[in-house]
Amino acid sequence: MTAKIVMKKICLSFLYFLFGYISIAQSDFILLKKNGHTVKTMFAGSPVTFTTSLRYHSGLINSIKNDSIHLLEYDVRQMPTNLGIYIMDTVANYHTLIYYKDILKIINEKNGFDAAASGASLFGGGLLITTIGLGTWIFTKSGERYHASPKLIIGSAVLGAAGYALLKTNSNSYTVGKKYQLNYIRTK
């Protein structure tokens, strides 16, 4: 190829990139705020998961126009193959229009360590061991084989309380209302 053709391709690629960047930069967006501070920004091209009064929505935002979110949702299901094994397959996709004030709760999908799930496990385990320990402590006599010690009961109650605190402080959803507000920002 000649240098002229290469320069032409580079210029066209740059113009295509610039046009895409400008068109994305001028779309409307929605801010989730807590006490005046932005917690999450939703804009065209970003994945989002939330609930409305009617149902649960999860998908990719196509655009945000006229106070509404144009959402592309995928219906992914387990489908059997000819070999008798199951694979995840996209059955259909849906274009959904949602008014932004209909959003009740936004789910924040976290990657990595999930402290809320660990807190739920600690809470459940601590509650279970505390209940069984109290039952054996009350209904058996001291010195018998299955008599639970007070140290076990207190320790499991402390673990359950720590799990409950971890579960409540690491919630993965934002309930729109008193604490969190949605603000629609029009750019044009």
Side-chain angles (χ1 to χ4, degrees), residues 108-116 169-172 174:
N108 186 20
E109 296 184 5
K110 297 178 183 177
N111 294 332
F113 181 72
D114 190 2
T169 58
N170 290 301
S171 176
N172 65 344
Y174 307 112

Side-chain angles (χ1 to χ4, degrees), residues 122-123 125-127 129-130 151-163:
L122 267 176
F123 176 66
L127 186 67
I129 293 173
T130 303
K151 293 178 188 178
L152 173 76
I153 297 169
I154 292 170
S156 61
V158 167
L159 282 177

Side-chain angles (χ1 to χ4, degrees), residues 15-153:
L15 287 175
Y16 180 73
F17 172 74
L18 186 64
F19 177 73
Y21 181 75
I22 290 171
S23 65
I24 288 174
Q26 291 182 352
S27 68
D28 298 348
F29 57 95
I30 296 174
L31 298 175
L32 177 70
K33 289 190 169 189
K34 178 183 177 184
N35 300 326
H37 299 290
T38 302
V39 176
K40 185 175 178 89
T41 305
M42 293 182 283
F43 52 89
S46 63
V48 67
T49 304
F50 56 86
T51 59
T52 61
S53 60
L54 299 176
R55 68 185 205 100
Y56 173 88
H57 297 276
S58 181
L60 189 69
I61 298 176
N62 274 344
S63 63
I64 299 175
K65 296 178 187 170
N66 302 329
D67 298 342
S68 296
I69 298 173
H70 299 261
L71 191 66
L72 176 63
E73 297 183 88
Y74 295 99
D75 187 4
V76 180
R77 298 182 188 176
Q78 267 192 340
M79 303 296 290
T81 63
N82 293 338
L83 299 174
I85 59 173
Y86 287 88
I87 60 169
M88 298 302 286
D89 193 14
T90 304
V91 178
N93 59 11
Y94 306 101
H95 296 278
T96 312
L97 184 68
I98 297 116
Y99 182 55
Y100 87 100
K101 288 196 176 187
D102 289 342
I103 297 173
L104 300 176
K105 186 183 285 188
I106 297 174
I107 289 93
N108 186 20
E109 296 184 5
K110 297 178 183 177
N111 294 332
F113 181 72
D114 190 2
S118 296
S121 298
L122 267 176
F123 176 66
L127 186 67
L128 179 69
I129 293 173
T130 303
T131 305
I132 293 171
L134 275 174
T136 59
W137 186 65
I138 291 171
F139 295 114
T140 60
K141 296 177 183 170
S142 182
E144 287 186 8
R145 180 176 178 186
Y146 296 110
H147 185 75
S149 69
K151 293 178 188 178
L152 173 76
I153 297 169

Side-chain angles (χ1 to χ4, degrees), residues 5-18:
I5 294 172
V6 171
M7 275 308 279
K8 194 175 188 180
K9 286 186 177 187
I10 290 173
C11 287
L12 285 174
S13 298
F14 178 72
L15 287 175
Y16 180 73
F17 172 74
L18 186 64

